[in-house]
Structure formats: C-alpha cells, structure tokens
Amino acid sequence: MKKGIVLLLLAALAVMQYVRTSSEDQNPYLVTDYSRLHPVKVQRVIQGKAEEQLAELVREAKDKGMKISIAGQRHSQGGHTYYKDAIVVDMTSYNKVISVDPKAKRIVAQAGATWEDVQKAINPYGLSVRTMQSLNTFTIGGSISINAHGRDIRSGSLIKSVQSFRLLTADGSIRNVSRTENAELFPLALGGYGLFGIILEVTLALTDDEIYRESTVLMKLEDYRSYFQNTVLKDSDIRLHIARISVAKDSYFTEAFAKNYTIDRSLLLADHSKLKSNEKWVAPGKLMFHLNRYTDWGKNLQWNLQKYFFVEQSDKIISRNNAMRAASAFMENNEPTENDLLQEYFIPVNQFDGFVTRLGAIVKQEDMNLLNITIRYVNKDEEAILSYAKQDMLALVCLFHAPLSKEGQQRMKQGVERIIEEVITYEGSYYLPYIAYPTIGQFRAVYPKQELFFSKKKQYDPDDVFMNFFYEQYGPLGGGI
C-alpha cells in the first residue's frame, strides 16, 4: 500500500498540469452560485456592513420597486442567492461574534460569521455547536436559511439549536424572532431561503465539547440499516455518525462503511482540544478525486484507499469540534464546462433498503456519474414549514459530476426526476438548496406545506422585495427549469 501511495504521488506530478486549478475572476455584476449555472446580470453587489445601512437599503428597494437577494458563501446550487437585475447583499462582511456566554452555553453572532468563527470563539470555553454542516466555511445565516443538518445524530436539524434571531423584514423594520416573540416568522425564515428578510444576528444554544474515539466498520450495504438501528442508535455514547456507500465498479452499491464517534470519558479534553485548520495531502487528494470523476479504475482506487485509511487506521482520538469539520479542498473542481453537483434524499429508516436498491439501478440505467454517497441521520423535526424530516430519516448526500451544457443538464434532470419519483414512493423527501431538477408537481408532493409557505411570503412581503430563482421556479408563478 505504501508503494502504491508513492506511485500515486509521482503520477500527481505528471498529471496535475492537465487539471485546471484557477479561472478568471467573475464580472462583479454577472453573478451565479456554486453550480455555475444560469449566470445573470445583477444591478449591484453590496457588502453588508451595518444594521442601518441594510435597513435603508431595504426601504429604498421597496420604494423603488427593486429586488433584493441575500448571499453568504453562495454554496447553495439552485439560484437561492441571486436574481436577475436584483441587488445582491453579500453578508460575509457582516461577521462579528457578538458574545459568548459559557455559563448559559450560548453564543450570539452576526449572520455573516462562519462556523469556523464560531468554533474559534467557543473552543477555549470547552463548548461546541450542537449541529452544523461538515464544512465550517459556511455562514451562520446561510446555514439556518436552509435549516442545515450534520454529523450529530442526537440534536436534530439546525433549527433546534436556534434560540432567536433578529430579522430585517420587507417593510424596513427589524424584528426579534423566537418561539415566543414574532413566533410565526420563526419556522418560516428558518429554512426560508432568504425570502422573509435579512437575518442580522443569531443566538445559538451550545453543548459541551467532548473527546471521541473514531472507529470505522466495513460491511455489506444490505446490513447497514440493521447495524444503524440496532448498534448505533441504541448506543447513546455514539454522538456523531456518518457512512459511505461504494460507487466503485467492483463493489457498486454492495459495500459500505460506517464511521462512529464514541465519547471517551477517560481522556482529558485539554489534551486534545486544539482546533485543526490545515488540510493534509490536498494535491494527491485532488488527483485521486479527479480520477474518480473520469475513470472506473479511479473509482475503484478511491474506494479501496478509503477502506484502507478509514477502516485499517481506526481508533483515532478527536475532539467534537474537530470531528464536526470535514476536509473539502481535495474536491474542488474548476473545469469551466462541467461541475460536481449535489442532490440529497431523505428516506425513512425502515424504507432505506428498498430505496437504495432503486437508486443504484436508476443511476446505472441513466448513466449518471455518481462520485460519492454519504449517509447521515436526521431526527424527525417538523418545526420548519418546509421541513424535510417528516420522520426519522437517513439522508443520502449524492455528489454527481455532470456537464453544464444544455444537453448534459437535461440528462441530469431526467435522472433526478426518476429518483424523486422513487423518493415519493418510499415516503421520503429531498433537500431544497440544490439545483431545481424536480418538477413542480414533485416539489408540491414532497412539500405539502409549500402553499402555506408561499402565502405567508406574500403576507410579509407583498411586493416581493426579497427574490431569488428558487421562488421564481417553485413559487406561485413557477414553471420549473
């Protein structure tokens, strides 16, 4: 194995010259998101700097009939953060951590602060976030706007961690929103994709940082659901969990591995609590993932290396704050005519086996280039109006590689629509931050409260000051893509 890794590194030096690693800067008024689909001209991009500045901007937009879209890191892929001829408010500069209350286990941060900012602020106090996405580069406001979830299997989706937030609404006023104050807005704006106003600052409930032993178990895919229900869920000391399904040709949808993070109370937090920041082996990792995109043997090699590093080198000691952060630089793709695009499906735990069988078959039949599947768990949580966790769900986070051409995107849309039909058959749902491949009918079937959501949007924002392509495609005037 060591010899193979050396050969891989040598191959990296020979091949990396053919991999694009940079692109020209965007025209600041030609805006898109992570998908790089549907770039449009916007009126201007404004950095969020101060509360009154933003309030004045909203009042001006309302008076002049302009549209506003709200952006963080723009990692959503369905046009949620921009709109044609709109003012795009970039909130990444509105990023202060306002206060940390260690005794109450609470933090207040501006919406543009990243999860890394939060972790740096709370780590010295032995505290951790309850729920966050695996990439800590995303903004707090963006994450609660999509009601994100993560590796924690006990705390539910992100809405459960939010105690309150301050919201700049379409009339230019600022409202305190919680479960007791302006309570109707709480489940609308959280998971509301920026359609109810600009989230200014957020109060989050925290939990204790802990020391975990990381362990990985290789198994047949057909055994995973039973293993998860009978081993993982029943062991309260397993705090975090993810799994992966093989998409390699030699073990396609037959193998999986589960990664557990189990609390170890015998170790001192202070000995293991330093936050890690630098990713290791980025260059060979980029090459490996590049081969995974384009060749069957690359997919086989990727899976076999994962098994070696994760399964054979198990029992790692890691703090909760570090365990919740995932490496990502090795997955970056800058090819101008194609991209890696996410889709995510939530399936009731007891329906998992049947759905996965159909998913594997459809991906093969439609010749979809599936690069990776990560499995996560989300507890039932219907608090958000556009909730995706109608039952206790296993989430399948699927990363596809696809051309950005009209023909290539039509093929992707056809495949995803077939998958969504199976999602509906198996009483599941799908995640809304990604490209709008599902039809209007599929959206309405999966999200039956969408009519209430859009009627409340018109109540709080009758002039549609806050606008994005998600609303255009799936709202009252929607026609899909």
Side-chain angles (χ1 to χ4, degrees):
M1 180 57 71
K2 289 183 178 179
K3 182 180 179 181
I5 294 172
V6 171
L7 290 174
L8 182 62
L9 289 171
L10 291 174
L13 297 175
V15 177
M16 286 299 283
Q17 60 180 314
Y18 296 108
V19 182
R20 291 179 182 265
T21 57
S22 63
S23 58
E24 293 183 4
D25 289 342
Q26 289 187 57
N27 180 327
Y29 301 111
L30 185 65
V31 170
T32 183
D33 55 23
Y34 186 83
S35 72
R36 304 204 305 270
L37 290 165
H38 315 304
V40 298
K41 288 283 187 178
V42 299
Q43 186 187 111
R44 62 189 190 273
V45 178
I46 292 179
Q47 296 290 323
K49 296 179 180 178
E51 190 173 286
E52 184 51 39
Q53 168 226 13
L54 293 171
E56 181 58 34
L57 175 66
V58 171
R59 290 191 286 266
E60 177 190 3
K62 182 176 176 63
D63 291 343
K64 295 182 178 180
M66 298 184 296
K67 305 299 182 187
I68 291 176
S69 296
I70 308 158
Q73 299 290 355
R74 290 194 290 194
H75 265 259
S76 58
Q77 300 178 15
H80 304 76
T81 57
Y82 66 106
Y83 191 69
K84 58 183 180 292
D85 300 322
I87 301 167
V88 175
V89 180
D90 184 338
M91 292 295 287
T92 56
S93 53
Y94 198 80
N95 58 9
K96 294 179 181 177
V97 173
I98 296 170
S99 65
V100 178
D101 186 338
K103 188 171 292 186
K105 296 183 181 178
R106 182 170 59 224
I107 187 171
V108 181
Q110 291 180 332
T114 65
W115 291 104
E116 182 175 25
D117 295 330
V118 169
Q119 286 191 312
K120 286 180 178 178
I122 65 178
N123 195 66
Y125 298 102
L127 296 173
S128 176
V129 295
R130 293 183 175 182
T131 300
M132 66 175 246
Q133 293 146 292
S134 293
L135 299 186
N136 65 357
T137 56
F138 298 150
T139 63
I140 308 304
S143 292
I144 68 172
S145 292
I146 66 169
N147 190 23
H149 64 95
R151 298 183 175 193
D152 187 292
I153 61 174
R154 310 293 174 185
S155 298
S157 52
L158 187 52
I159 193 171
K160 290 296 187 185
S161 299
V162 179
Q163 293 183 341
S164 64
F165 56 96
R166 298 179 69 243
L167 183 70
L168 173 56
T169 54
D171 60 3
S173 65
I174 296 173
R175 309 189 193 199
N176 296 318
V177 181
S178 68
R179 291 176 176 85
T180 58
E181 187 176 7
N182 292 305
E184 186 177 56
L185 277 166
F186 192 86
L188 291 167
L190 297 186
Y193 298 91
L195 293 173
F196 286 85
I198 300 176
I199 295 169
L200 297 173
E201 60 189 54
V202 184
T203 302
L204 293 172
L206 304 171
T207 189
D208 293 324
D209 198 5
E210 297 173 325
I211 295 298
Y212 300 143
R213 286 192 177 272
E214 177 185 317
S215 60
T216 306
V217 181
L218 182 68
M219 65 189 70
K220 294 179 180 179
L221 177 56
E222 64 189 31
D223 296 330
Y224 172 74
R225 178 188 57 81
S226 175
Y227 169 80
F228 178 76
Q229 287 181 302
N230 297 317
T231 300
V232 177
L233 278 186
K234 290 184 177 180
D235 185 350
S236 61
D237 282 348
I238 298 178
R239 303 288 215 249
L240 312 181
H241 170 87
I242 61 169
R244 288 200 173 92
I245 297 174
S246 173
V247 297
K249 183 178 181 179
D250 292 348
S251 52
Y252 182 78
F253 276 75
T254 60
E255 286 186 344
F257 66 76
K259 185 184 290 287
N260 299 318
Y261 298 83
T262 306
I263 187 170
D264 189 328
R265 297 179 180 85
S266 69
L267 299 174
L268 295 176
L269 177 63
D271 294 337
H272 303 275
S273 64
K274 183 179 180 181
L275 282 177
K276 299 176 182 178
S277 56
N278 296 327
E279 294 185 25
K280 298 179 179 179
W281 304 99
V282 173
K286 276 179 175 285
L287 172 66
M288 188 66 261
F289 210 75
H290 192 70
L291 296 173
N292 181 46
R293 289 185 182 104
Y294 296 111
T295 68
D296 285 339
W297 71 267
K299 285 181 169 60
N300 284 331
L301 183 59
Q302 170 95 355
W303 180 250
N304 289 331
L305 285 173
Q306 284 184 337
K307 286 195 296 185
Y308 172 75
F309 282 110
F310 293 140
V311 178
E312 295 188 25
Q313 298 185 9
S314 208
D315 204 31
K316 177 181 176 182
I317 304 300
I318 190 169
S319 71
R320 178 185 175 89
N321 279 329
N322 282 312
M324 297 183 84
R325 303 150 63 101
S328 62
F330 73 94
M331 298 173 67
E332 291 175 0
N333 179 35
N334 296 301
E335 291 289 338
T337 60
E338 53 198 49
N339 203 359
D340 300 340
L341 304 171
L342 284 165
Q343 293 286 294
E344 184 169 355
Y345 311 112
F346 302 90
I347 305 299
V349 177
N350 287 330
Q351 301 270 34
F352 178 81
D353 294 333
F355 174 78
V356 167
T357 299
R358 292 297 302 137
L359 174 64
I362 292 171
V363 168
K364 184 172 286 189
Q365 291 162 10
E366 296 290 337
D367 196 25
M368 303 171 79
N369 188 0
L370 180 56
L371 305 180
N372 186 69
I373 302 180
T374 301
I375 305 174
R376 297 179 183 174
Y377 174 73
V378 186
N379 314 81
K380 178 180 178 180
D381 183 0
E382 296 186 281
E383 186 173 16
I385 298 300
L386 293 184
S387 172
Y388 47 80
K390 296 175 284 189
Q391 304 180 44
D392 290 344
M393 300 282 202
L394 285 169
L396 294 102
V397 185
C398 301
L399 184 65
F400 295 94
H401 186 74
L404 300 181
S405 64
K406 183 177 180 180
E407 181 185 42
Q409 285 300 295
Q410 187 56 43
R411 289 199 303 271
M412 268 294 295
K413 180 174 173 61
Q414 176 179 302
V416 170
E417 285 181 3
R418 286 191 62 192
I419 294 170
I420 298 298
E421 284 304 306
E422 298 296 334
V423 167
I424 294 170
T425 297
Y426 285 93
E427 303 178 320
S429 61
Y430 68 93
Y431 207 14
L432 294 174
Y434 302 126
I435 298 170
Y437 296 126
T439 66
I440 294 292
Q442 289 175 330
F443 168 71
R444 291 172 178 168
V446 171
Y447 287 93
K449 292 184 180 179
Q450 52 82 28
E451 189 173 356
L452 171 63
F453 178 86
F454 290 128
S455 69
K456 291 297 180 181
K457 158 70 174 171
K458 293 300 288 187
Q459 176 185 324
Y460 284 100
D461 184 10
D463 300 317
D464 290 335
V465 173
F466 297 107
M467 192 69 183
N468 58 33
F469 283 107
F470 166 73
Y471 182 49
E472 181 179 80
Q473 290 162 2
Y474 289 118
L477 302 178
I481 63 169

